[in-house]
Structure formats: C-alpha cells, structure tokens
Amino acid sequence: MTDVHPYSSHAPVFTAGGRADGRLGRDLLRLDIEEGALGLRTLVAHFHPVGPDSDGSAETFSYLDGDPVDFGTELTVTIGPDGGERQIFTGTVSGLEVSFAEGAAPFVTVFAEDALMRLRLAHTTVSYENVTDAALAEAVAGRHGMTTAADATGPTYPLVQQWDQSDLAFLRERARRVGAELWADAAGTLHFATRDKRPGANLRLVQGNELIEVHCRADLAHQRADVRMLGWDDDTAAGVDETAGQDVVAAEATGGRTGPSIAAKVFRGPHLTRSRRDTPAAGTAEAYARAEMLRRARGFVTVDGTTSGTPDLVPGAHLDLRRVGRPFEGDGYRVVHCRHSYDPSIGYRTAFRAERPEVRT
C-alpha cells in the first residue's frame, strides 16, 4: 500500500525544453493537470507575467516572447513531498493566452497536451482489413512514430472503417466497444489495454485524513440485469444474438451486491437490447455485449473526492476507502478521472472520480 502524505503542499517543479526553470514555479498563479480513462492528459497553467524579467508594460510581459515557453516547447511537471515526488505531466505547449480585466492583475495562460495530441490533430478516412482492436491501435500509433503496448483481447474484424475522424476519436471509440482504456506514458508509448491490465498504485484514503472531501453514490439508473446484442451475419445469412449477464461482473466483485444483481431483484429485470450493423459475427456481438455490461456495472458506485495532494492518484489507481459509510467502505475502486491542482493560497490538491461495481453489506 502506497503511503500518502496527507498535509504536504509542495510547489510543482517545471522543466521547459529539457531544462529546469525556476521562473515558472516562481510566477505560478494556478496549475491544473487533468486526465480521464480514455487519455489525453492536459495542462493549464496561469502565470504572473510582471516579474523581475519585465518592466511592467504589456509589450515586455514574460511568457509571451518565446522564453522559456513557446509553441512546441516540451514541458514537464514534477510534484509531491520529499521522497515522494512524481512526474505528473509530460507534454507539448499547444496554446498561449493573455488576460486583462479591470481591477485585476493580468496573467498569461499556458496550455499543453501529452503525446496523444498528435492523434487528436490527425483527421482522416481509412479502411483496415482483418484486424483486431489491438492491431488498430498499433496501426494508428505507427502513423505517428509512436511505440505501442496493446493488451486488449477482442474479435478479428474483416473490415473496419475510420470515417472522417481524428485518430484519437477513432481509438477512443474502439476502446469503448471492447471495454479498453487508452493513455500515453511519459516515454510517449501509446497504451491500449483493458482495465485489469492497466497498472496503478494501491492507495488507502481515509475520510478526515487524506480525504478532505468525498461524495459517494450508488445509483441503479443505468444498471441492467443483462445486455443482449443483436446483429446479422451476411456469410451465413443468419441472425447474431449474444447476451452478457451478471457473471461478467462477478469477476470484478469481491462479495458485495453488484448493481446488476440489485436491479434484477428490485425491477425484475431490466434488460437491455441493442442492434448494431457492425456485429456480423457472434464473437463481435459477444465482445460488445460484455463491454457494455461491464461499463454499466462499473459505474454503479461512484466516488468524487479530493485529497490534499496525491501524485499517484491517476487513472488506473486502486483505491481502498475508509470511514465513508458501510456500503462504500473498502477496496475494489479504480480511478477513472483525476485533476491535479496547485495555487499558492491552498497548495496542492487532487480531485478524482473512482468507481466500483458493488456495495458492501
């Protein structure tokens, strides 16, 4: 279990263009770094532009002259307590902004995105033949000179078309269909893997200690007893009919009551039936039904919380929550979204969303 330092508030350290630059930390007004389970980690940083390097006039504002940041500058951020520092962002500057308002000090904003920005900017139409979803990820990454770590099982498709989409939107869509997640690591490797294959720290968060705010919710609104996927097989001229039930969720549960099992008991169902043109074989329908069932079940219990700064709290992290009420107590949570924030007045904070398919009794 990773140790969490509950009251540390250490300032971030910036590296621009491969060199540490103390000016960025000195003039920082606000920092937000955000990432979800389907990738593209983003950075928004506000800086005070009137410092020792400026004469106070708008013409000589810092951070607008290409030094130390400019379009395309590689930017990294490291944060955390002594001995627990983590690099929480590596990416490229993609935007610059200056803001003026009556009665307020001006500020410059720097925007940056991680390696998946390349995929977001590429927009194309292309066809792929006899491929898996993992092979699709490898093909897209290869077009951008990125290495790939694809670990998501799934069917082989005779034909897949990327129709007038960005490469990022295309891979996100493919990931959703088979229950996979998408991210880029600090080395620029593109990962396409199912949730159980995604690495993450094991963190214990205690309400009133590491957790300074938390909201836990169990909601049956989107739970279904099973998911049925219908399609048509042109080769055999026969219908395709596959169902994913509660057994799909059981592998991720640890003895509690899952959303699908409660929905089946409370509502004597309900069932979800979907018909898709792109399910021409039983294997495809089975994979899609399974992914839909897991997506819904995993979102049965959601937790939105804030810690006083936890660098390891990123998508993929495993959480064990304590003192949050019996139904929500314990482990089994996976982080699906995070936002690391820093400003000089309150220090370092990490906001997150985690989910689990069950409540405990």
Side-chain angles (χ1 to χ4, degrees), residues 301 303 317-319 321 328-335 354-356:
V301 177
V303 174
H318 303 253
L319 300 187
L321 303 183
F328 308 105
E329 196 79 3
D331 59 5
Y333 290 98
R334 295 297 295 268
V335 175
E355 56 185 32
R356 186 175 78 179

Side-chain angles (χ1 to χ4, degrees), residues 7-28:
Y7 299 114
S8 60
S9 181
H10 296 263
V13 176
F14 290 84
T15 299
R19 296 181 299 176
D21 197 307
R23 290 173 292 177
L24 294 165
R26 179 197 67 195
D27 296 336
L28 182 65

Side-chain angles (χ1 to χ4, degrees), residues 33 39 47 87 108 128 146 178 199 204 212 316:
I33 296 170
F47 297 99
Q87 185 173 293
V108 169
Y128 310 86
M146 300 175 67
V178 295
R204 177 175 293 175
I212 58 178

